[in-house]
Amino acid sequence: MKNAIFLDNAATTRTDPEVIDAMEPWLSEKFGSPATLYSMGSQAKQAIDAARQSFADLIGADQKDIFFTSGATESNNWAIKGVADALESKGRHIITDVAEHHSILMPLRYLEKKGWEVTYLPTDSDGMVNPEAVAAAIRDDTVLVSIVHANHEIGTIQPIAAIGKITSEKGVVFHVNAAQTVGHIPVDVNHLGVDLLSSSAHKFYGPKGVGAMYIRHGVRITPLLHGGTQEKKRRAGTHNVPGIVGMGKASEIARHSLEAEATRLAGLRNHILDWVESNIDDIRINGHRTERLPGNVNFSIEGIEGESIMLSLSYPTAGDARPIYVSTGSACVSGSLEPSHILLALGMPAELAHGSVRITMAKADTQEDVDYALEAIAAVAERLRSMSPVYKRGNKKCSAGSSSQGCDCEAAS
Ligand SMILES: *Cc1c(COP(=O)(O)O)cnc(C)c1O
């Protein structure tokens, strides 16, 4: 099989070879636990401290305010459940928005079952949250505002600094899920005015299963994991030393390469947006045109299923074709085709949400790869449309219920 083109970097990124080199000794000869006092342990402790400093530098934080976790899912759960537990006596109200990641929405749903009240702010059609709406939603019993920095599907970057100004004026804890932004665009916890910030190493060329939480000094939060005294008694469990060292190395690399890479990716992104608009009929760009992640493109192709495009691209029929990995906002979940809750939250009709294609680029992706992928996407779209019983060129409105046509899941169920 020809070498694949990986355009699904919002899901995960390839670990940088330099990161793997940095991790290797900590997986082999330097296996000591940092909690022990003999020399092998203290070496591990020093390595963790160096990684902590490196990550702190990447987000403009004090290293004392960084706590290592297993990833953004754990950090997000910790932020929500930990603040809820610590501040319950002040009130039981939390504010978020409708287009959040499941690792935010599910812990909130868990709290709702226990009697908490959650306000889900709407977004505009580009997925943007209005800071004024945050201000208007804050009540005397509000203990937390949690807003994602940039959306993992549509790439829209939220006005975090403006929201942070409001929450600090009102004295409400502000959590930001920065899984998509750390290592890709400048993130500075003081400029953004955040109290808690989640991130994940595997989203910026680090290893999977390690992440961090920034906790501003003085913010009250109960631990999620109780046990040993690791991480100043705030996150128990033997440290993932290789993973943490890898996250430190990935942070150091990002600090030096981030700006040039963000500029390069934004150029590729704009090229793709222009190309699909002029070469594929009846498409719609999803997410904000300019306030968006440099490597993110998301569009809906009318009349066909995103999942059919995704599968056709990853299993090309021509023997010499390169497999292309993209993502779609509609996926078979237990036998039914579920459109993305994020695209639906923006007010998009289900049939367009079904036709969404997400391309997320990273440092390995070149202009040549991108152009190859674009030709392939246009060809697949043309072929699928020629077989579609519902698509009529120039017909802006698919008939209601058209989304179920050609759904492999439904055919199978
Ligand atoms: C990837 C991602 C997560 C989950 O991160 P893990 O480290 O894989 O748990 C959470 N939120 C967003 C926005 C993400 O992109």
Side-chain angles (χ1 to χ4, degrees):
M1 196 146 72
K2 284 275 172 80
N3 57 333
I5 301 177
F6 187 77
L7 297 174
D8 194 19
N9 289 281
T12 196
T13 58
R14 178 191 289 266
T15 311
D16 190 303
E18 275 190 64
V19 168
I20 297 173
D21 286 348
M23 291 170 69
E24 203 281 328
W26 305 98
L27 287 162
S28 50
E29 73 268 24
K30 296 183 179 177
F31 61 87
S33 165
T36 52
L37 292 176
Y38 43 80
S39 67
M40 191 157 64
S42 60
Q43 277 180 7
K45 189 178 176 309
Q46 281 170 19
I48 290 172
D49 289 344
R52 199 186 308 281
Q53 185 65 56
S54 175
F55 179 72
D57 290 346
L58 180 62
I59 64 166
D62 187 326
Q63 55 83 21
K64 290 198 287 295
D65 296 340
I66 303 299
F67 299 84
F68 287 112
T69 66
S70 65
T73 298
E74 182 187 326
S75 297
N76 290 341
N77 270 266
W78 185 11
I80 289 167
K81 295 172 188 168
V83 169
D85 187 80
L87 299 183
E88 189 162 23
S89 60
K90 183 191 170 201
R92 299 189 10 124
H93 177 239
I94 295 176
I95 297 167
T96 189
D97 65 276
V98 291
E100 290 290 319
H101 192 268
H102 280 130
S103 59
I104 295 290
L105 295 176
M106 294 302 151
L108 288 172
R109 215 153 287 168
Y110 166 81
L111 289 181
E112 283 179 297
K113 284 203 205 119
K114 294 167 114 32
W116 285 71
E117 210 185 317
V118 179
T119 297
Y120 298 91
L121 297 172
T123 68
D124 68 13
S125 58
D126 290 331
M128 197 76 91
V129 173
N130 183 350
E132 302 290 311
V134 176
I138 292 176
R139 323 188 303 212
D140 289 343
D141 61 344
T142 306
V143 297
L144 179 69
V145 172
S146 181
I147 305 286
V148 74
H149 193 183
N151 188 283
H152 60 290
E153 273 188 34
I154 55 172
T156 298
I157 299 172
Q158 300 295 352
I160 295 298
I163 298 170
K165 201 158 172 284
I166 291 162
T167 52
S168 78
E169 275 165 17
K170 302 226 180 190
V172 176
V173 177
F174 184 29
H175 168 248
V176 168
N177 175 11
Q180 287 291 329
T181 52
V182 167
H184 295 284
I185 61 172
V187 171
D188 181 301
V189 290
N190 293 316
H191 168 72
L192 294 175
V194 308
D195 298 309
L196 302 167
L197 182 131
S198 303
S199 83
S200 177
H202 76 97
K203 298 297 176 81
F204 63 101
Y205 316 107
K208 291 167 183 61
V210 59
M213 176 103 104
Y214 161 78
I215 304 178
R216 185 177 293 283
H217 182 74
V219 169
R220 289 177 58 202
I221 178 166
T222 306
L224 188 65
L225 297 183
H226 298 88
T229 57
Q230 291 90 352
E231 298 298 271
K232 292 181 236 140
K233 300 187 190 162
R234 297 182 105 169
R235 200 280 187 179
T238 299
H239 288 94
N240 171 1
V241 182
I244 290 168
V245 167
M247 186 167 186
K249 187 68 188 179
S251 303
E252 180 196 320
I253 296 169
R255 222 164 53 240
H256 297 118
S257 58
L258 178 154
E259 269 178 55
E261 186 57 11
T263 305
R264 186 187 77 90
L265 288 178
L268 278 179
R269 174 198 70 196
N270 294 340
H271 165 66
I272 299 176
L273 290 171
D274 292 342
W275 194 93
V276 294
E277 275 186 324
S278 40
N279 289 277
I280 307 176
D281 294 334
D282 302 328
I283 70 147
R284 175 192 152 141
I285 305 293
N286 301 321
H288 200 280
R289 189 70 196 220
T290 52
E291 292 299 311
R292 83 185 291 145
L293 288 170
N296 174 291
V297 175
N298 190 313
F299 52 90
S300 291
I301 308 184
E302 206 174 282
I304 48 183
E305 302 292 350
E307 196 164 68
S308 309
I309 300 180
M310 180 191 78
L311 292 173
S312 302
L313 292 169
S314 67
Y315 300 105
T317 44
D320 61 342
R322 299 170 68 184
I324 299 164
Y325 299 113
V326 300
S327 164
T328 172
S330 72
C332 285
V333 178
S334 58
S336 74
L337 197 69
E338 290 283 337
S340 140
H341 72 278
I342 289 170
L343 296 178
L344 295 181
L346 311 190
M348 181 179 295
E351 59 261 30
L352 268 180
H354 278 302
S356 76
V357 174
R358 181 185 75 179
I359 294 173
T360 47
M361 296 171 289
K363 57 186 171 189
D365 300 309
T366 63
Q367 170 97 36
E368 189 194 343
D369 290 347
V370 161
D371 285 335
Y372 184 96
L374 286 174
E375 295 290 347
I377 290 168
V380 168
E382 190 62 35
R383 180 166 58 80
L384 292 172
R385 276 175 167 173
S386 71
M387 304 186 302
S388 165
V390 289
Y391 176 70
K392 284 228 302 279
R393 194 169 306 280
N395 176 6
K396 286 284 175 205
K397 271 198 162 47
C398 287
S399 63
S402 63
S403 55
S404 63
Q405 301 280 344
C407 167
D408 293 339
C409 308
E410 296 211 352
S413 63

